[in-house]
Amino acid sequence: LENIKAEVIATGGSSDSSDGGSMTVMELFRNKKLRKQLIVGITVQLMMQFSGIDAVFYYSTTVFYQADVADPELATTCLGIINVIVTIFAVKYMDSAGRKTLLTYSWVGLFFSFLTLTLSFILKPYFGCMDQLSVAATTGVIIFFAFGPGCIAWFIIAEIFPLTARDTAMTVGIFINWAANWLVAFTFPHLLEYTQPFTFLVFVATAAFFLFFTVQFVPETKGMTVAEIAEEFHEVPLYTC
């Protein structure tokens, strides 16, 4: 009961709420005490889609075809299976390693994987081994995504909000996630058409940005109560109006 009261107080509300219900979306956006949590929660959801994972799955069959893989479609399916398996291990390892730690290292891995993938496309006319390098880089993207934003994003958004705001925050997160998914699916084919072989440089940039954002603004939530996380957010150097 004391933990629930502390969570309600963390929102700036009262533990004796007359309706005892969840915040509305407008109430969540207007609540200044949850402004930093909202910015971090939305950004973490954007990480899932702007990580470039859908773009990699979109392009992976072509990468495997160029690398003379016997069955490119099967190889792409195997990537999906790898994604699921690594995600299972990541969820089990997350409680010991910490959410922020896994997320930080995954962005480092994604940065270098996308950089390697881009270089393999640029240098392909000059070196015969670049197709194999592109396959390795594509696999690296899948693995690092599964260890980081692929599984951690939903845990973080659920853990940084108190009970009265959690359902609403998850609803906002789902909407942001699907909107970003549509944006990537709509724009990437055009990006691919006009920017080859530099297409994946955009995800090198997003990986660098999300790495910076994670290190600077995402608190560690492992083993902490919402009240303790709220205190952590007071120290987060994130400007809010």
Side-chain angles (χ1 to χ4, degrees):
L1 181 60
E2 292 301 319
N3 286 339
I4 294 175
K5 288 182 178 180
E7 289 194 13
V8 176
I9 292 171
T11 68
S14 167
S15 60
D16 300 321
S17 174
S18 59
D19 57 8
S22 299
M23 285 184 174
T24 65
V25 172
M26 290 305 298
E27 287 172 341
L28 177 60
F29 275 89
R30 289 172 179 169
N31 192 311
K32 292 184 178 181
K33 289 194 174 184
L34 294 178
R35 194 70 50 81
K36 290 182 179 180
Q37 287 93 319
L38 185 60
I39 293 173
V40 169
I42 288 175
T43 304
V44 167
Q45 287 299 307
L46 290 175
M47 288 179 181
M48 293 182 67
Q49 301 303 331
F50 292 157
S51 65
I53 188 66
D54 288 332
V56 166
F57 274 118
Y58 175 84
Y59 201 63
S60 59
T61 302
T62 302
V63 170
F64 288 131
Y65 178 80
Q66 293 174 344
D68 293 325
V69 174
D71 193 334
E73 290 80 8
L74 178 61
T76 299
T77 302
C78 289
L79 281 184
I81 296 173
I82 291 172
N83 185 24
V84 173
I85 294 173
V86 175
T87 299
I88 294 172
F89 279 103
V91 170
K92 295 184 65 175
Y93 188 64
M94 183 169 38
D95 284 331
S96 58
R99 284 78 160 133
K100 181 173 182 175
T101 300
L102 281 182
L103 198 57
T104 299
Y105 283 111
S106 70
W107 284 119
V108 173
L110 282 165
F111 174 84
F112 284 107
S113 294
F114 277 119
L115 184 61
T116 302
L117 187 59
T118 301
L119 289 175
S120 71
F121 290 157
I122 295 173
L123 298 177
K124 181 180 177 181
Y126 311 103
F127 300 97
C129 62
M130 290 298 104
D131 286 333
Q132 289 70 30
L133 184 62
S134 66
V135 171
T138 301
T139 306
V141 169
I142 301 300
I143 292 174
F144 285 115
F145 171 82
F147 258 109
C151 71
I152 294 175
W154 293 112
F155 284 92
I156 288 181
I157 198 171
E159 292 172 341
I160 63 178
F161 287 96
L163 287 174
T164 53
R166 191 166 297 159
D167 290 345
T168 306
M170 292 292 287
T171 301
V172 172
I174 292 171
F175 172 79
I176 293 294
N177 194 291
W178 278 104
N181 180 284
W182 174 85
L183 182 63
V184 171
F186 178 77
T187 59
F188 183 73
H190 303 287
L191 190 67
L192 187 62
E193 181 179 358
Y194 294 108
T195 63
Q196 292 191 57
F198 306 100
T199 305
F200 287 97
L201 275 179
V202 65
F203 298 118
V204 175
T206 57
F209 170 76
F210 287 135
L211 173 61
F212 169 79
F213 188 93
T214 299
V215 172
Q216 290 293 112
F217 305 126
V218 178
E220 180 55 71
T221 61
K222 181 188 72 171
M224 299 179 67
T225 66
V226 173
E228 291 171 336
I229 294 172
E231 288 298 319
E232 287 288 316
F233 270 105
H234 287 314
E235 307 300 323
V236 172
L238 188 61
Y239 173 77
T240 59
C241 56

